[in-house]
Amino acid sequence: MAGRTLLDKLWDSHVVTEDDSGVALLYIDRHLVHEVTSPQAFEGLRLAGRAVRRPELTFAVPDHNVPTTDRSEGIRDPISAHQVAALDRNCEEFGVTELKMDDPRQGIVHVIGPEQGIVLPGMTVVCGDSHTSTHGAFGCLAFGIGTSEVEHVLATQTLPQRKPQSMRVTVDGRLPPGVTAKDIILAVIGRIGTAGGTGYAIEFAGEAIADLSIEGRMTICNMAIEAGARAGMVAVDDKTVDYFSGRPFAPTGAAWEAAEAAWRELVSDADAAFDRELVITADELVPEVTWGTSPEMTVPVTARVPDPADEPDPVKRANMEKALEYMGLQPGTPMREIALDRVFIGSCTNARIEDLRAAAAVVKGRRVAEGVDAMVVPGSGTVKRQAEAEGLDRVFTEAGFEWREPGCSMCLAMNEDRLEPGERCASTSNRNFEGRQGRGGRTHLVSPSMAAAAAIAGHFEDIREVTGGG
Amino acid sequence: MTVEPFTRHTGLVAPLDRANVDTDAIIPKQFLKSIERTGFGENLFDEWRYLDEGAPGRDNSARPENPDFVLNQPRYRGATILLTRENFGCGSSREHAPWALADYGFRTIIAPSFADIFANNAAKNGILTVTLDAETVDRLFQQVADRPGYRLTVDLEDQTVTTPDGEVIPFEVDSHKRHMLLNGLDEIGLTLERESDISAFETGHRKRWPWVFEAQG
């Protein structure tokens, strides 16, 4: 018998039943809930007179709408306040544990899940949020769902699902200095395209992935969805087990021993076959910057803005032309000469402690360039306090960055943090879509250290030159 | 929730000639603050459709329309079938995207490919996503451009798209999705009928992996 992939193991251990057409009823171990995609689901339960089947497996947090400035007066925007209040009310009515806006542990749902040990290896994890793929970084099958599916999971703790195909992306060798998890995933998306992973769960493997911290692996899995894959995943190893040891919601004692033994099985067998394989050589990777309005529109920082005239496919060429027009860029412009108005360090992609440390290392002792407005939004209250304990907040504020309260913030601009029309931003987030960070705003996706360097220089810089490779 | 069954639909076709149309473009974030399922249609493609910035609760009838945007062109008013390019619906999982499309009046979207989460969400709201190869889609774009009032008939039972010339184009569709759409079934209700299976699984799962059920911070 051929070996089994990590996907096979996670899938098989959660199938309740399977029908003749191959649709499985999948048991869901953790359901994460936020304020934007849940109100209609709770309302659906109410209308049908249904309960939440397993409130103890369901955890909620408001993150999209919350202000990142002083919260003592609550939320100023009445519509945002209404949505967050609805979450509070729904969680209370249905008995769901919520880390409320004023809870010191509050933060972006995908940051606090693992941070608190609410999500643990081997689990099936869903959330009404496409970046749920983040949780695959520690051997979970985790994927985003819509609100109808949120309601389905609330009511039944299961989801009818067809098993995705398996893809393995192997990153061989060691990452060169200055090249980060963000650059790996941007390079992968650049190579396979934003639809390259559609229908697949992607397992990231190889020496460069094994060398990454759990935080770095989360950055990679977070953006699997930007390659079209609902789920990204990385096998469990010592780092995974160490990461969860001592987390507030993690098991202890004999339960921990049993859990650890089970988690260590969560690797693809050596002879497992994948439906698709992609191999990348780490030493060819460089710091990436996106130039367009799709994450696949990415180039090395040393490159120039591409020319649509060089693209033979007419549909792609038209898309490139539209993107350049929206971004206000001319073909052939060196990426390093693109001047910036704003810098955003935050989001479920890159707002964990390691990201803030990497950015602070670049910023330390320097000043944000004249005319650039730069902000850091930690991924959670826990990250924020840790950073403050390490003095990172002072490194940022002394350089001229704003130091904010945790939330999704300007990754999608549902709160007050947004770009004005025409403003250009270096952002550590995950999407450079038109209008994503504010109507008419222009987003360039980069790693935290690249964003920090751009804030200091006022334009993109090759981090390998700035830090001598650090 | 039950949805309107989808069996066969004939309607005017609007061509949206862009690849990778993302859910942020379909319904911008400020409209996601609503806690209702309805009323999103007026803000479908808001940033392309209007010349000013939209806000929840605003009277959209008074806003300046972008005359260049395809849905604003008189010949495409009242379209119920959207023809578009690769990877439609990529990006966020917001079901507000199909809610907006359905509320506007779209019942079918035809493209060479769709993002997974979007396609699932669409089906749950009675919208049929029809995947046709890129060459066929290209040909349909040409026909729509050439002929004002171009209408297609989409038949889910037969799995065919029929052009005004009588050309019948077959398409593949997931059998589960087809069954649910044809019958407008309440999926949650169907799953709840499996209560004993779910309970039996849960008992075994709890025995095997007790820590899943014992999260206490």
Side-chain angles (χ1 to χ4, degrees), chain A residues 110 129-135 222 225-226 348 430-431 436:
Chain A
H110 308 307
D129 193 289
S130 60
H131 291 114
T132 309
S133 58
T134 310
H135 307 271
N222 172 273
I225 185 63
E226 312 313 333
C348 57
N430 40 57
R431 287 187 179 137
R436 172 80 178 178

Side-chain angles (χ1 to χ4, degrees), chain B:
Chain B
M1 192 186 71
T2 52
V3 297
E4 196 182 334
F6 188 112
T7 45
R8 182 184 159 93
H9 175 76
T10 300
L12 184 69
V13 181
L16 183 62
D17 195 1
R18 298 177 76 116
N20 297 320
V21 173
D22 58 73
T23 52
D24 276 83
I26 297 172
I27 183 81
K29 80 278 293 172
Q30 64 268 37
F31 305 108
L32 275 48
K33 297 180 186 187
S34 166
I35 60 171
E36 312 291 330
R37 266 176 194 266
T38 53
F40 294 100
E42 288 186 17
N43 299 106
L44 174 69
F45 299 122
D46 197 271
E47 292 183 7
W48 293 339
R49 202 163 139 199
Y50 300 99
L51 293 170
D52 63 350
E53 179 158 14
R58 256 184 89 175
D59 176 10
N60 296 294
S61 64
R63 296 175 60 198
E65 285 189 344
N66 174 5
D68 295 333
F69 184 59
V70 65
L71 296 185
N72 291 334
Q73 294 169 20
R75 62 182 285 192
Y76 299 121
R77 298 269 179 187
T80 57
I81 298 175
L82 188 66
L83 179 67
T84 186
R85 301 286 187 182
E86 285 84 1
N87 201 28
F88 185 85
C90 61
S92 117
S93 67
R94 60 187 71 165
E95 197 159 318
H96 313 67
W99 291 337
L101 287 158
D103 195 49
Y104 182 91
F106 285 114
R107 301 252 23 223
T108 299
I109 306 168
I110 302 174
S113 59
F114 293 90
D116 281 337
I117 303 177
F118 174 81
N120 275 336
N121 287 342
K124 312 236 184 258
N125 291 280
I127 296 177
L128 175 62
T129 51
V130 176
T131 306
L132 298 177
D133 64 78
E135 292 73 33
T136 305
V137 167
D138 217 35
R139 197 153 47 81
L140 294 178
F141 263 101
Q142 200 57 55
Q143 293 179 7
V144 173
D146 290 348
R147 288 187 235 173
Y150 185 88
R151 293 161 78 84
L152 289 171
T153 295
V154 180
D155 192 318
L156 180 56
E157 197 115 44
D158 295 347
Q159 296 181 220
T160 56
V161 174
T162 305
T163 71
D165 298 333
E167 181 193 355
V168 178
I169 305 164
F171 64 88
E172 295 291 321
V173 62
D174 181 278
S175 57
H176 176 72
K177 195 178 283 182
R178 179 174 178 272
H179 177 68
M180 298 303 295
L181 270 168
L182 278 175
N183 299 292
L185 294 173
D186 169 17
E187 202 165 28
I188 297 176
L190 291 180
T191 298
L192 286 171
E193 289 172 17
R194 319 284 278 278
E195 167 57 33
S196 59
D197 290 329
I198 298 171
S199 287
F201 175 88
E202 224 163 30
T203 305
H205 196 41
R206 190 190 290 269
K207 204 169 283 175
R208 205 167 54 94
W209 284 8
W211 59 86
V212 168
F213 298 86
E214 291 165 358
Q216 276 166 9

Side-chain angles (χ1 to χ4, degrees), chain A residues 87-129:
Chain A
L87 181 69
D88 294 348
R89 229 174 23 248
N90 286 327
C91 289
E92 193 158 322
E93 180 182 339
F94 288 93
V96 170
T97 301
E98 181 193 4
L99 309 187
K100 291 188 179 178
M101 188 172 79
D102 57 1
D103 189 305
R105 302 166 295 178
Q106 181 271 343
I108 306 172
V109 62
H110 308 307
V111 174
I112 67 166
E115 185 175 82
Q116 294 298 323
I118 289 169
V119 179
L120 296 166
M123 288 181 167
T124 45
V125 184
V126 298
C127 175
D129 193 289

